Amino acid sequence: MDGATLPNCDFLSEALAGLGTAPKSMSPKWFYDEQGSHLFEQITKLPEYYPTRTETAILRDQIDTLAGYVPEGAALIELGSGASVKTRLLLDGIGGISTYRPLDISAQFLQDTAEALQTDYPDIEMRPMVADFMTDIAPAPTLSDRPNVVFFPGSTIGNLTPDQAITLLSRVRDWPGVTAFILGADLVKPADVLVPAYDDAAGVTGAFNLNMLARMNRELNADFDLGAFEHVALWNMGCSRIEMHLRSTCDQTVTIGGRAITFKAGETIHTENSRKFTPLTLRDMARQAGWRIAELVTDPDNLFAEAVLIPAK
Ligand code: AVJ
């Protein structure tokens, strides 16, 4: 596997920095320890959480359109690998993919993914690479001896600020040999559909959000009382994003790595933004990063979009 070690991301120092300033915040990347990944898996099956099943249906229904942008012999580079249904839909439905190259921060996860896929796709070369694609990637993960098509599903791009998203798209645009970028993006829709997707009746998303605190207790010797924080999901229309927060229900002090962090009743930790797009905001974002939208396919209800970006002239 390429890039087998990463500089150790410092959970403690980021937690102290994020919780030591007002307003308090944490990066959503800390959601995904083993328990968090399992909870996210459950989220994708919730009746209220439409993105995963909708994007899967789009990929299934529009695979021939997408295949038109994947040259014979191409390498498929996936940002944030999944051994997921979505990956398999592309590998199954697009002929001639020579190489599958998932990028992920977890070497273990990559290893498991590559092994599982290799069994089912013996003719596709597996070239996983450990990389934190949300920050800088050097060297470029593209393969020089073939066309490279990048796949970034799930609307994970919505976790980034507008500036960060443009930076990511620009950087990928500059990787050698990239001929197309297949980007999944969740679309703006009424708040009474958006909010329940992030605040489900069964409370799974709440458990997913609170797991960030449980993880700090496990890994950083913190002493969060999980009963003294509540899950909040809100639609910030001005920024076109769902925000998730953890709200302190009382005045309290928490200790993390020996450091005291105080909370006022009602104060929140901002844990995630999930930006929602329109065809226009997608086009604008792509243009600012040196791409143009060659194709934008959606589901019949216009819930989710799959954009095929190609380098702008
Ligand atoms: C994995 C970032 C696409 O924003 O919908 C799901 C994460 N957070 N429910 C999203 C998430 C709460 C998800 N992404």
Side-chain angles (χ1 to χ4, degrees):
M1 188 175 337
D2 297 300
T5 55
L6 267 187
N8 194 23
C9 299
D10 197 347
F11 190 21
L12 179 62
S13 63
E14 276 204 31
L16 291 175
L19 303 181
T21 45
K24 293 178 168 63
S25 66
M26 289 291 292
S27 163
K29 75 179 174 195
W30 302 114
F31 282 139
Y32 302 94
D33 67 347
E34 202 179 322
Q35 298 191 35
S37 300
H38 176 72
L39 285 163
F40 179 67
E41 199 57 35
Q42 285 181 252
I43 287 174
T44 65
K45 295 169 186 153
L46 292 168
E48 298 95 332
Y49 193 77
Y50 59 85
T52 308
R53 83 177 70 89
T54 307
E55 184 178 34
T56 302
I58 294 170
L59 295 174
R60 187 174 290 130
D61 293 347
Q62 315 262 16
I63 195 70
D64 292 342
T65 302
L66 301 176
Y69 295 90
V70 184
E72 181 70 29
L76 183 71
I77 301 186
E78 182 167 348
L79 306 186
S81 77
S84 72
V85 181
K86 295 174 200 172
T87 305
R88 288 167 180 270
L89 280 171
L90 296 201
L91 297 180
D92 289 340
I94 302 175
I97 292 176
S98 68
T99 309
Y100 175 60
R101 186 150 175 78
L103 309 186
D104 198 89
I105 50 174
S106 164
Q108 187 57 53
F109 189 68
L110 281 168
Q111 197 67 54
D112 297 347
T113 297
E115 271 169 31
L117 286 171
Q118 188 71 84
T119 310
D120 295 335
Y121 302 91
D123 298 335
I124 298 179
E125 181 192 12
M126 301 292 155
R127 295 277 299 271
M129 178 176 175
V130 178
D132 182 1
F133 60 87
M134 297 295 250
T135 64
D136 202 27
I137 303 178
T142 45
L143 301 169
S144 58
D145 56 342
R146 62 208 89 183
N148 293 269
V149 174
V150 177
F151 181 42
F152 191 22
S155 202
T156 300
I157 194 154
N159 273 176
L160 300 174
T161 65
D163 282 353
Q164 288 170 330
I166 289 166
T167 301
L168 171 69
L169 289 171
S170 307
R171 229 172 31 228
V172 175
R173 166 77 178 74
D174 291 338
W175 290 346
V178 177
T179 57
F181 190 141
I182 302 172
L183 176 68
D186 197 12
L187 298 176
V188 172
K189 57 186 64 63
D192 65 351
V193 178
L194 283 169
V195 173
Y198 293 83
D199 193 7
D200 58 288
V204 180
T205 310
F208 173 74
N209 199 4
L210 282 158
N211 178 58
M212 178 99 68
L213 305 182
R215 182 178 180 186
M216 287 192 266
N217 286 351
R218 286 190 294 269
E219 295 181 25
L220 306 180
N221 259 303
D223 59 359
F224 283 98
D225 173 1
L226 269 59
F229 287 86
E230 57 193 15
H231 168 64
V232 178
L234 60 91
W235 171 236
N236 180 333
M237 186 143 78
C239 296
S240 197
R241 69 192 189 200
I242 287 283
E243 296 180 8
M244 294 209 314
H245 297 258
L246 290 160
R247 182 161 59 209
S248 175
T249 58
C250 57
D251 290 351
Q252 56 179 318
T253 301
V254 174
T255 310
I256 305 174
R259 192 95 69 84
I261 307 282
T262 61
F263 289 85
K264 287 276 163 216
E267 187 177 359
T268 76
I269 305 170
H270 187 175
T271 49
E272 185 173 51
N273 291 318
S274 188
R275 209 141 52 91
K276 307 304 169 187
F277 300 88
T278 67
L280 273 170
T281 58
L282 277 174
R283 189 182 69 181
D284 196 50
M285 174 171 73
R287 191 184 48 75
Q288 290 189 62
W291 297 93
R292 72 177 185 82
I293 298 182
E295 202 84 52
L296 186 79
V297 292
T298 63
D299 55 292
D301 299 318
N302 271 287
L303 297 174
F304 199 95
E306 210 66 23
V308 182
L309 313 182
I310 60 173
K313 177 63 209 78

